């Protein structure tokens, strides 16, 4: 049917179906307007939906556009990982492979390497924008009220709250323990006040992990995402937060992160940071994805 488009859903940053972060990928989206993409993203009502179009440059793999349920965003991690794995798997079929893709995202070109070894398919992307400081303020007393925690729960070692951007922007809130991480929750009207003050719509909380380097949660209810199971873009931008906390050393470092545990969708993310005398040189995010469903979705009426 000409009024229908093919879609796939995958769970990203996991090797297990019904864990990780669910993603919808809509193919053949060059026939859609931005308004229609937004309508479809709201219909799926996942943290993100990615729409695949022919590339502007034929040397690249695809142009993609990414939508929250409420708005388009220039770049996001789990849509990049899931979409690249879907496109590479369709192109290469069964069996082991390694493929290099380039996705044209609104934030810039995103190179992605996809590998399949046995039953495991992984993708690693290089962040299109190196993170940097973002404007805004986040007083600790307001953070505490907005997250229903104590001021004493905020920060550990040299980690302090920070606001960073790299395409999207996030407020980073280090907390003292996994117990604090589990107890945190957005509380209105303080949450909206904090987002206005910080100039963002999302807060990424993290602490030291016992079975990984860091455990994290990400809240973004004002963007239509009460909690995100895995946030690849925020993980990439975390590199700037770790630099500010004097965690990074010269050379290449690899960090393992877990997110989504508290909401029953455990996700595994790997961040690799190249750091030198001139600062951050590159940030790469790696993760797996598994297919969950596929079908056809009606094209919304009107342009």
């Amino acid at each position: 049917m000409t009024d229908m488009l093919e879609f796939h859903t995958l769970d990203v940053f996991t090797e297990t179906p019904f864990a990780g972060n669910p993603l919808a990928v809509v193919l053949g989206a060059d026939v859609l307007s931005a308004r229609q993409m937004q309508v479809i993203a709201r219909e799926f009502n996942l943290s993100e939906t990615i729409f695949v179009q022919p590339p502007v440059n034929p040397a690249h793999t695809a142009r993609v556009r990414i939508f929250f349920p409420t708005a388009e965003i220039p770049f996001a991690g789990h849509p990049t990982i899931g979409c690249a794995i879907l496109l590479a798997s369709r192109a290469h079929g069964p069996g082991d492979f390694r493929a290099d893709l380039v996705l044209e995202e609104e934030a810039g070109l995103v190179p992605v390497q996809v590998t399949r070894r046995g039953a495991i398919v992984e993708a690693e992307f290089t962040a299109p924008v190196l993170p940097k400081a973002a404007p805004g303020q986040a007083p600790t007393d307001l953070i505490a009220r907005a997250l229903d925690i104590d001021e004493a729960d905020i920060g550990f070692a040299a980690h302090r709250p920070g606001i960073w951007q790299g395409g999207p922007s996030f407020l980073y809130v280090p907390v003292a323990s996994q117990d604090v991480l589990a107890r945190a929750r957005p509380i209105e009207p303080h949450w909206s006040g904090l987002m206005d003050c910080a100039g963002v719509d999302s807060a990424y909380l993290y602490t030291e992990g016992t079975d990984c380097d860091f455990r994290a949660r990400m809240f973004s209810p004002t963007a239509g995402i009460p909690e995100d199971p895995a946030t690849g873009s925020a993980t990439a931008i975390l590199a700037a937060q770790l630099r500010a906390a004097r965690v990074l050393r010269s050379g290449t470092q690899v960090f393992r992160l877990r997110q989504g545990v508290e909401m029953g969708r455990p996700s595994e993310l790997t961040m690799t940071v190249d750091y030198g005398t001139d600062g951050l040189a590159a940030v790469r995010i790696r993760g797996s994805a598994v297919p969950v469903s596929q079908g056809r979705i009606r094209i919304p009426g009107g342009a």
Side-chain angles (χ1 to χ4, degrees):
M1 296 174 61
T2 57
D3 62 343
M4 306 285 279
L5 293 178
E6 180 182 355
F7 76 85
H8 296 254
T9 70
L10 303 93
D11 287 334
V12 184
F13 291 119
T14 182
E15 299 172 4
T16 305
F18 309 109
N21 199 351
L23 169 73
V25 184
V26 179
L27 303 177
D30 49 305
V31 301
L32 297 175
S33 68
R35 187 198 68 80
Q36 290 171 315
M37 293 181 202
Q38 187 67 76
V39 169
I40 291 173
R42 191 163 59 242
E43 178 70 18
F44 281 116
N45 202 33
L46 301 174
S47 58
E48 282 119 2
T49 298
I50 187 167
F51 296 85
V52 182
Q53 302 176 328
V56 175
N57 183 339
H60 301 152
T61 307
R63 182 189 181 203
V64 297
R65 296 178 66 178
I66 304 169
F67 285 75
F68 285 156
T70 56
E72 184 173 9
I73 55 174
F75 165 71
H78 101 277
T80 297
I81 293 282
C83 180
I85 285 176
L86 175 67
L87 296 180
S89 298
R90 285 165 62 92
H92 289 269
D96 292 356
F97 68 82
R98 170 178 163 172
D100 293 305
L101 290 69
V102 177
L103 300 180
E104 299 171 353
E105 304 197 11
E106 294 300 294
L109 299 180
V110 184
V112 192
Q113 185 176 97
V114 181
T115 57
R116 179 194 283 141
R117 299 182 184 90
I120 305 302
V121 190
E122 285 189 314
E124 182 176 66
F125 69 81
T126 302
V129 179
L130 289 173
K132 61 181 181 180
Q137 298 180 342
T140 54
D141 60 336
L142 181 55
I143 293 174
R145 292 196 300 272
L147 293 171
D148 198 24
I149 59 178
D150 296 329
E151 280 193 69
D153 293 329
I154 299 170
F156 63 90
H159 296 256
R160 299 293 180 267
I163 306 170
W164 306 95
Q165 61 185 359
S169 301
F170 297 92
L171 167 64
Y172 288 83
V173 182
V175 296
S177 68
Q178 291 186 28
D179 176 65
V180 176
L181 188 71
R183 287 191 285 107
R185 59 191 181 120
I187 297 292
E188 291 289 10
H190 311 297
W191 172 265
S192 292
L194 175 62
M195 295 297 98
D196 289 343
C197 189
V200 299
D201 59 16
S202 308
Y204 182 95
L205 284 62
Y206 71 98
T207 192
E208 291 180 305
T210 53
D211 55 353
C212 58
D213 294 296
F214 297 105
R215 280 274 304 275
R217 299 180 74 181
M218 204 285 287
F219 299 114
S220 190
T222 44
I225 307 169
E227 182 171 358
D228 197 28
T231 318
S233 56
T235 304
I237 299 169
L238 179 66
Q241 176 76 7
L242 298 184
R243 179 189 182 187
R246 300 189 294 275
V247 172
L248 300 184
R249 60 178 184 271
S250 182
T252 299
Q253 289 175 263
V254 178
F255 299 91
R256 292 176 54 248
L257 299 99
R258 300 194 76 206
Q259 188 180 333
V261 175
E262 290 77 10
M263 58 187 302
R265 298 197 66 101
S267 304
E268 311 284 341
L269 305 90
T270 300
M271 173 177 62
T272 301
V273 181
D274 295 338
Y275 182 66
T277 55
D278 295 328
L280 291 169
V283 183
R284 296 180 294 280
I285 301 298
R286 185 173 77 249
S288 298
V290 290
V292 174
S293 70
Q294 65 184 77
R296 301 184 71 80
I297 188 167
R298 187 178 303 278
I299 297 175

